[in-house]
Amino acid sequence: MPHPDSLASRFARLQRAARDDPNPDWAVRARRLRALDRLLLDNEQAFADAVRQDFGHRSPAETRLLELFPSHAAIRHASHHLRRWMRPQARSVSLWFQPGRAELRYQPLGAVGIIVPWNYPIFLAAAPLAAALAAGNRALVKMSELTPATAALFAERVGKYFADDELSVVEGDVGVAQEFSRLPFDHLLFTGSTAVGRQVMRAAADNLTPVTLELGGKSPAIIGPGLSTAQFAHAVERIIIGKSMNAGQTCIAPDYVLLPAGQEQAFIDVARRVVGDCYPDIERTADYTTIVDQRQYARLCAYLDEARAAGARVVDLAPGAVADPAARRLPPLALLDAGDELRVMQEEIFGPLLPLRPYRDLDAAIAFINSRPRPLALYYFDRAPANIERVLNETVAGGVTINDTILHIAQDDLPFGGVGPSGMGCYHGFEGFQTFSARKAVFRQSRLSAIGLFKPPYGALFERLTRILLR
């Protein structure tokens, strides 16, 4: 018999409860959403402290801004719209089946799994949970082993707000994550790298478990041609701020910049000013996040070493600041002349390194993006409506922010997800409710129906009716 705290036992409890109460009413779902909101509110400082401990350093203000605030927004958006989302939707009925009625009903899938990454361990647990609980599901959550303090806090506190057959939080290493992926969930949502996403999908396939994969990739920022000096400076500022949050450890951070040829030095000049304004004394400021662990820090340093050896130019965006390997503090750096063969141009960077790639015209910029795997996010800076429409129409990305970065993820009424290697499926808002719901098609037959005219034996009347039907 499995241990009562084993993965199998936890999942079995959730699954039994979901079968016993397959369609919780609005009041139950609303209570669970309030409990999730209260869990985060009551423990806000404890969560901020845990994240800071896990990263070595992250400002509590940044945790509130990037994790707690959007988590509360997602939960409250779902709470506000839940009654409407739960209502059956009337669908049209063709002439031949009237006066029957058709409708679509959303029902909970049952017991769902959520695998949380290390970079935003609070928000990337809470936002999927808001969708799953709104849809009426029970959930098992696997926290990242790279953020053990946050995982332990979440696992310890969740029992004060939820029954163990409503929501359960799991800690553990890669082996636990692999076992987790093999459980026969009714749906599994994974956020993380493309490489691990492939492994999760293979494991889930054995149970025919449907998956939502929120992955990553190389999200470009494009500075359009012909911007004024002020518009160009605004673009650089927003790119640098989007890149510097969480020290670039964000799945939708600008990964590289496409800018008009000849504007590289202007970009660097503005970027240095922005970094200086936002992070004075960056080696000691409390507002700049450190790299999460030594392995990630070493990976970023290896990118830099390879780029320098290949002739790329590495430019300090915080002149005079020195990297601190012991604290894993890495100031922002720009890279010029980084060839396509380099890892920094092939792999998602996930850190404060920013390659600059000049282009001769917008056609070339669009062609460059379209020659690469489709990104999770795309950012375009321009004031010309025709250029904006071109980029929107001629590129494919999971989400787009125009004249800023990151902000599309914070719009609760927009779906969030990737395309191809950057992801599969989406969530947030109503689309998240749909992702974690079974869509049941219902047809209600009327007492008055012509369908009896189409039963055997087929004869002349049937032939006349079908000829009319097919005209």
Side-chain angles (χ1 to χ4, degrees):
M1 185 173 180
H3 188 278
D5 284 331
S6 71
L7 268 179
S9 292
R10 292 186 185 207
F11 174 73
R13 279 197 296 272
L14 293 164
Q15 192 177 53
R16 282 195 302 271
R19 300 297 185 265
D20 290 343
D21 184 18
N23 200 359
D25 62 17
W26 173 86
V28 170
R29 302 184 197 197
R31 175 186 58 77
R32 292 173 182 167
L33 289 170
R34 287 194 302 272
L36 181 61
D37 200 43
R38 181 52 56 187
L39 166 63
L40 299 179
L41 278 172
D42 292 349
N43 300 283
E44 178 179 298
Q45 189 59 52
F47 275 119
D49 291 343
V51 170
R52 179 167 52 187
Q53 178 182 337
D54 284 329
F55 273 78
H57 178 74
R58 193 215 264 172
S59 165
E62 192 161 83
T63 295
R64 286 196 297 272
L65 175 66
L66 302 181
E67 298 220 59
L68 292 164
F69 174 76
S71 295
H72 292 306
I75 295 164
R76 292 168 189 181
H77 178 84
S79 299
H80 180 72
H81 294 281
L82 184 56
R83 284 189 191 273
R84 178 169 57 85
W85 293 350
M86 290 177 66
R87 290 187 196 122
Q89 297 178 2
R91 295 295 178 95
S92 62
V93 175
S94 76
L95 176 65
W96 290 94
F97 301 100
Q98 292 180 7
R101 291 181 292 132
E103 66 181 29
L104 185 69
R105 287 179 171 251
Y106 291 100
Q107 290 188 301
L109 290 169
V112 303
I114 297 168
I115 300 178
V116 183
W118 55 263
N119 61 325
Y120 291 99
I122 303 169
F123 177 56
L124 294 178
L129 273 173
L133 296 177
N137 298 284
R138 318 287 175 127
L140 188 61
V141 177
K142 166 63 176 73
M143 301 296 288
S144 173
E145 67 277 10
L146 297 185
T147 50
T150 308
L153 178 65
F154 205 166
E156 185 264 323
R157 299 291 167 90
V158 72
K160 302 180 190 303
Y161 300 84
F162 291 91
D164 63 3
D165 63 358
E166 291 180 313
L167 172 60
S168 186
V169 176
V170 176
E171 305 168 73
D173 60 12
V174 173
V176 175
Q178 291 170 342
E179 183 184 355
F180 189 98
S181 302
R182 291 192 290 267
L183 292 170
F185 291 109
D186 295 297
H187 195 94
L188 178 60
L189 186 145
F190 166 81
T191 304
S193 71
T194 301
V196 178
R198 290 191 178 98
Q199 298 173 23
V200 169
M201 191 170 182
R202 288 190 195 102
D206 287 340
N207 294 308
L208 295 180
T209 297
V211 295
T212 297
L213 302 178
E214 301 299 344
L215 307 176
K218 300 190 72 64
S219 296
I222 314 167
I223 298 179
L227 293 185
S228 68
T229 301
Q231 291 166 349
F232 181 86
H234 170 79
V236 176
E237 176 187 278
R238 301 315 301 169
I239 290 168
I240 292 300
I241 289 174
K243 183 67 168 180
S244 299
M245 290 189 300
N246 208 31
Q249 298 167 106
T250 303
C251 61
I252 56 171
D255 199 90
Y256 64 95
V257 179
L258 295 169
L259 75 169
Q263 293 189 333
E264 297 93 324
Q265 189 58 50
F267 185 101
I268 290 167
D269 292 342
V270 176
R272 284 175 165 171
R273 185 167 67 249
V274 173
V275 171
D277 289 343
C278 291
Y279 305 104
D281 194 11
I282 197 168
E283 294 171 301
R284 281 169 284 277
T285 179
D287 292 329
Y288 190 68
T289 300
T290 52
I291 304 304
V292 70
D293 66 10
Q294 195 57 47
R295 184 172 68 88
Q296 296 296 330
Y297 187 89
R299 176 183 60 82
L300 294 168
C301 290
Y303 288 174
L304 291 172
D305 291 343
E306 181 192 39
R308 287 191 181 100
R313 189 155 57 96
V314 178
V315 180
D316 293 331
L317 297 182
V322 177
D324 183 350
R328 304 188 305 277
R329 186 177 289 253
L330 185 61
L333 300 165
L335 286 83
L336 300 173
D337 304 317
D340 285 347
E341 75 284 358
L342 298 178
R343 289 172 64 196
V344 77
M345 288 302 297
Q346 291 290 323
E347 300 175 9
E348 184 178 9
I349 294 172
F350 233 67
L353 316 181
L354 187 61
L356 306 183
R357 168 72 62 135
Y359 67 82
R360 68 176 185 276
D361 55 33
L362 193 55
D363 287 342
I366 291 172
F368 183 81
I369 291 168
N370 288 339
S371 69
R372 303 167 77 83
R374 289 170 172 171
L376 181 57
L378 184 148
Y379 307 110
Y380 185 60
F381 293 83
D382 207 328
R383 300 295 167 179
N387 288 346
I388 293 171
E389 286 303 311
R390 276 203 65 197
V391 171
L392 289 174
N393 290 331
E394 297 178 25
T395 62
V396 178
V400 178
T401 295
I402 301 295
N403 291 319
D404 214 316
T405 61
I406 309 294
L407 297 182
H408 63 281
I409 196 175
Q411 312 312 308
D412 290 305
D413 208 27
L414 285 178
F416 178 75
V419 184
S422 63
M424 174 187 299
C426 61
Y427 70 112
H428 286 200
F430 181 57
E431 281 76 13
F433 176 85
Q434 288 181 309
T435 289
F436 286 105
S437 296
R439 281 171 268 197
K440 179 183 285 186
V442 179
F443 178 77
R444 298 177 188 271
Q445 180 63 285
S446 170
R447 287 185 302 157
L448 303 174
S449 173
I451 198 69
L453 299 175
F454 293 90
K455 66 184 181 182
Y458 303 117
L461 177 60
F462 173 82
E463 294 297 331
R464 287 198 301 273
L465 290 173
T466 54
R467 279 197 294 272
I468 294 171
L469 180 64
L470 295 173
R471 282 178 184 169

